Amino acid sequence: MGWLYVEPEFRKKTAVLENTPWLKNEEGYKISQQLIKAAWVIGRRAGNEKIESAFHDEAAPKRREWRNTQMDRWETEVSLLEPRDLLESIRKRSKLGMF
């Protein structure tokens, strides 16, 4: 998921999040890992109990295993209240069948 949205030149680079008080900045996470985490946390905050993602390349099993080992840590961030506007938008679209 996150890997697909990162240009090849930036893959394996470390990311530092700014202006995202609703998401803890995990030290040493790569850009794609920050994207995976953000998508997972937002999905959980939108009320989805189980978040799935599709991994399509040879590194897929490794990334899936990494994500699965992180989810318990990320769960603590699900109960935070921000970003309210984004979550409300996701809920509305979900009810309209846009997801």
Side-chain angles (χ1 to χ4, degrees):
M1 168 170 51
W3 188 259
L4 298 175
Y5 297 102
V6 179
E7 293 293 328
E9 66 188 276
F10 298 109
R11 292 180 184 176
K12 299 185 180 179
K13 301 285 183 182
T14 299
V16 176
L17 299 179
E18 294 180 4
N19 300 320
T20 54
W22 56 274
L23 189 66
K24 290 181 188 172
N25 187 15
E26 301 285 351
E27 188 174 323
Y29 272 30
K30 297 176 183 127
I31 295 169
S32 58
Q33 292 171 324
Q34 292 287 18
L35 293 172
I36 291 169
K37 177 185 177 183
W40 190 90
V41 170
I42 289 170
R44 285 286 291 119
R45 288 182 183 178
N48 298 299
E49 291 297 319
K50 187 171 184 178
I51 308 297
E52 293 291 332
S53 55
F55 297 97
H56 297 290
D57 64 6
E58 65 279 351
K62 185 176 179 181
R63 287 199 309 279
R64 183 178 296 110
E65 181 180 336
W66 171 83
R67 183 205 56 200
N68 290 343
T69 64
Q70 302 300 304
M71 289 188 307
D72 286 340
R73 290 175 44 198
W74 298 346
E75 191 66 36
T76 62
E77 296 181 56
V78 171
S79 62
L80 299 176
L81 299 177
E82 293 180 345
R84 291 182 197 109
D85 294 341
L86 178 58
L87 293 175
E88 189 58 36
S89 172
I90 292 170
R91 285 186 189 106
K92 286 179 183 176
R93 290 181 185 195
S94 181
K95 288 178 183 176
L96 295 174
M98 298 175 91
F99 289 116

